[in-house]
Amino acid sequence: MPDEQRLTYAGAVNAALDRALAQRPETLLYGEDVGIPGGVFGVTKGLHKRFGDRVFDTPISESAILGSAVGAAMFGRRPIVEIMWADFALVAFDQIVNQAANVRYVSRGRLSAPLTIRTQQGNAPGACAQHSQCLEALFAHVPGITVAMPATHQDAHDLLLAAIWHDDPTVVIENRTLYHGEKRAVRLGGPVPGIGGAAIRRPGTDVTVVTWGAIQHAVLDAARQAATEGIDAEVIDLRWIRPIDLPTVLASLRRTGRLLVVHEAHTVGGVGGEIVAAVAEAGVRLATPPVRLGAPPARIPAAPHLAAAVLPGTAGVLGALRGLAGDGVHGAVA
């Protein structure tokens, strides 16, 4: 029977890992400091004590972590590995792009790699250029890789379970700014959901805002403020970057006729451009040019006040909503 508990975002992730380890004996959980220390962010706390050697620490070698996970996944295990920062996955990108993503194809379907890569990304106070990159577009570009970005407590639990149950490689990108905030009700023990599907976080009629990841919360704040000015914004949380739930986006745009895409990642080469292109190819007629709001093509400064100056926030989203609902004279943020 489903149960409901009040958990932090990190607690919701921990609960999903606990369930997977308990119900799937073929699962393994490992990475740098995830075992005895319980994770550098405390997300895996208590799991080594409960599940013993199935939860263990590794050397500081992302290539070894991911390479061993691909091999284990090919031969009956269902590894869940943590890469402490998404930036560090680049050290072992070959294992993701050329190995894990290719297993099913090069084996003509005889083998698969049910591998889950847990990581986190994005800016946080004091983060530097090598700890603040948003890399979802890189992962999503690779055929054979599924990409999830949970922004709510419930999704932190559900999307991770969907990834672990999935029979092909999945990257689940969390955000450390969400880990230890307020506790919220999380439903536990229900059916494991499938892959894919966006969520309408706020219905509206004037502007469609497509977003994902931690920036969603600033978007919702801006939408609430815009509502006091008579601008009714519909906020769609993609949740899954690959596959993208384009039908939900198109259905919303056919109602609103205006599109704003907001993400923390750089706009250049970002997923926002993919969404705008897909909308154009679908032939949806917009009342105004679409707008992308994201980081400029520059490294994110370590100083919090400087980072805030270059990253999209509530004020920037609110300004974009006002413009779209007004004269609609806009261009891509680059």
Side-chain angles (χ1 to χ4, degrees), residues 2-66:
D3 179 28
E4 187 172 278
Q5 295 183 24
R6 292 192 64 80
L7 300 170
T8 62
Y9 182 104
V13 175
N14 185 281
L17 294 170
D18 186 284
R19 175 176 172 180
L21 288 161
Q23 293 185 354
R24 308 282 310 237
E26 72 273 28
T27 52
L28 301 170
L29 173 62
Y30 60 97
E32 298 165 13
D33 297 328
V34 306
I36 294 173
V40 69
F41 303 110
V43 177
T44 57
K45 186 176 180 180
L47 296 176
H48 172 74
K49 184 176 182 180
R50 180 172 179 190
F51 296 101
D53 290 342
R54 289 171 59 207
V55 181
F56 57 92
D57 301 312
T58 68
I60 302 175
S61 175
E62 284 74 19
S63 291
I65 293 168
L66 286 168

Side-chain angles (χ1 to χ4, degrees), residues 35 73-74 131 190 206 297 310 328 331 333:
M74 289 170 62
H131 296 78
D206 296 333
V310 299
V333 177

Side-chain angles (χ1 to χ4, degrees), residues 89-179:
L90 299 178
V91 178
F93 213 45
D94 176 73
Q95 301 290 356
I96 301 171
V97 176
N98 288 328
Q99 309 306 327
N102 271 332
V103 167
R104 188 179 290 277
Y105 181 77
V106 300
S107 71
R108 296 183 181 180
R110 293 191 298 270
L111 297 172
S112 64
L115 159 65
T116 300
I117 303 169
R118 275 192 57 248
T119 190
Q120 58 79 33
Q121 69 176 24
N123 184 62
C128 65
Q130 292 178 321
H131 296 78
S132 60
Q133 299 175 93
C134 293
L135 302 177
E136 66 267 24
L138 290 182
F139 295 115
H141 183 72
V142 181
I145 298 292
T146 300
V147 183
M149 287 188 68
T152 68
H153 294 48
Q154 190 67 56
D155 277 354
H157 176 270
D158 292 352
L159 271 58
L160 179 55
L161 285 177
I164 296 169
W165 260 247
H166 190 44
D167 288 332
D168 287 297
T170 302
V171 179
V172 180
I173 304 174
E174 300 156 5
N175 190 296
R176 61 191 173 282
T177 63
L178 302 176
Y179 280 143

